[in-house]
Structures are given as C-alpha cells and as structure tokens.
Amino acid sequence: MPQRRQVFADLPPELALNDNPEISLSKEDSRHLHQVLRLKPGNALIVVSRTTGQLYQAVIVQSNIKKVTVKILRAAANKPACGRVGTLAFALSKGPKNDLVCEKACELGAQRIIFWQAARSVVRLEPAKREGAARLRRWLRIAEAAAKQSGRNSVPQVLLLRNSQELLAVLRDSYSPKDICLCCSLSSSAVPINKLERPPGLAHLLVGPEGDLTAQEEETFIKYGFQLVSLGPFILRSETAAIAALGLIQGLWGNVQT
C-alpha cells in the first residue's frame, strides 16, 4: 500500500468546497514535498485542518521549491484515534533526548507533551526567555512532523514548564475522574504497569530525570494521586523509560473510545 502523504494547514472552520478552493502550503511543507518527496502536479495529498482536525482529499496543482499549491477536492473519511496517554510529563534532559521523546511520544499517540524542570534536571530553561522559546518552537516542529509521518489528524500540545507546581496546576485543569495518573519509579512499592486495570479515561504519565525524582517530589505526586509504576527489573535511561511506558500503555489499553 502506498504511503499516505499528509500535511497540516490553517483552514477556516467552515471550508466551502463547492468551488474546490486552492491553498498554498507553508514554505517548509513546500520544500519538503517538492525537494524531498519529489511530488508533482497531479499527485494526491491529504490536507488536515489544524483547527478542526478534518481531513480533506486534495491534488497538487503547482509545485516548486518555494511554493506548493493544492486544490481541495472533498472531505475525507475522518475517524480520529484518541491515544490512551493524555499527558506525557518528561523531566528536561541533556542533549537530543528531549527531541527524541517528543517525536516518539507523538508517534505513540500522546495528546499532550510537557517538558518540565525537576529538581535534579541538569538542563534549566526559562519558557519566556530566548533559549526556552526557541526550544519550544523546535519541539512543536518535531511534533507536527511526527504527526504527519504517523498519520495523526492532530498535533499534540507541547508545553515547557518551570517546576512541578506548574505541572500539577496544568493537570488539575484537564484531569477527569475517569483518568489515571502514573509515575515511573524505581521504588520497591511500584506496581508493574501490566498489573493495573485499564482506566475508562486517559492515563497521565510522568517520567523523572536521570537522577530520579527527589523523595519530596515523589511524595508530592503521590499526594496528588499518582500511582508509582514499574517498567521491569532494569534501570532505564529516562528517554527509554518514557518510550517504553508509552508503548506499554498504548499496547495494553489501546485508544480511548470517542
């Protein structure tokens, strides 16, 4: 089966299809489609609305390295899959680990990715300052590219938070009584994920830094309602733990019914 070519675009919520409107794609998408994928006029494409998640069948009418223009033909069948992990909260790490986790979390269906600064995080970023803002823009680009590659009809929200207090405040605003909160832990009291019952709602997953959470942080998360969970007998790097936990949760419990 040929790979589905998909791009995201800023489309009006109520798109008039009677006249088969033409739209120009972003410079980044245009370069990728023309130079990397070598698509030409006449090639089919799926365009996804960033605002609604609606899929549209389209065809390329103009293609060069600076601009690709497509004609919207019709609305496509739209069956959104809602991944089981509502939030992945990943403690900031060094080097390319954050980029890797952002990409794989998107591919594994996470609806929201939060990078936060744990007490033992080596990397310190201020969201309002230049480096923090630049890193966040990079993660948003990575998330959108991963969403296109994996055939998602939505790009996960990506946030950068300064501490656990901000993290818990965000979770309080989106938590449902049907949800479950899980914290990866090396504690002897941690329960293997595969021993837990599937929640009716979402799973919110927290992964600490390489040096693990402090006792105070772990206590705070337990008071909030997090359950300590184990990924097995081996000590994993933080990025490995995040990807393994996402895969386990999605594999064991599947998508949330919408």
Side-chain angles (χ1 to χ4, degrees), residues 20 35 41 81-83 92 102 151 204:
N20 297 123
Q35 192 172 32
C82 183
L92 278 169
C102 183
H204 302 287

Side-chain angles (χ1 to χ4, degrees), residues 124-253:
R124 314 304 295 182
L125 293 173
E126 285 292 334
K129 293 187 177 180
R130 179 178 298 178
E131 185 180 359
R135 199 76 68 90
L136 183 56
R137 288 194 298 270
R138 174 178 174 81
W139 293 328
L140 288 168
R141 291 195 299 270
I142 290 171
E144 180 162 314
K148 287 188 287 188
Q149 185 278 327
S150 57
R152 290 182 58 156
N153 67 341
S154 64
V155 180
Q157 182 185 25
V158 183
L159 301 176
L160 172 60
L161 303 180
R162 293 177 297 177
N163 50 52
S164 56
Q165 288 72 32
E166 289 188 356
L167 171 60
L168 291 176
V170 169
L171 288 176
R172 287 190 192 100
D173 289 340
S174 59
Y175 183 82
S176 163
K178 295 181 179 180
D179 296 349
I180 187 173
C181 291
L182 307 175
C183 176
C184 292
S185 174
L186 298 174
S187 170
S188 59
S189 62
V191 179
I193 285 182
N194 61 355
K195 300 297 184 183
L196 299 175
E197 292 186 7
R198 179 172 61 186
L202 298 170
H204 302 287
L205 176 67
L206 186 146
V207 178
E210 292 290 344
D212 209 356
L213 299 171
T214 65
Q216 183 178 3
E217 284 175 323
E218 199 165 88
E219 183 180 344
T220 297
F221 290 125
I222 290 173
K223 287 181 178 178
Y224 179 83
F226 276 84
Q227 297 184 47
L228 302 184
V229 292
S230 166
L231 300 176
F234 305 114
I235 298 174
L236 306 178
R237 294 189 180 277
S238 58
E239 72 275 16
T240 306
I243 296 168
L246 283 161
L248 273 171
I249 291 170
Q250 192 63 30
L252 289 169
W253 297 340

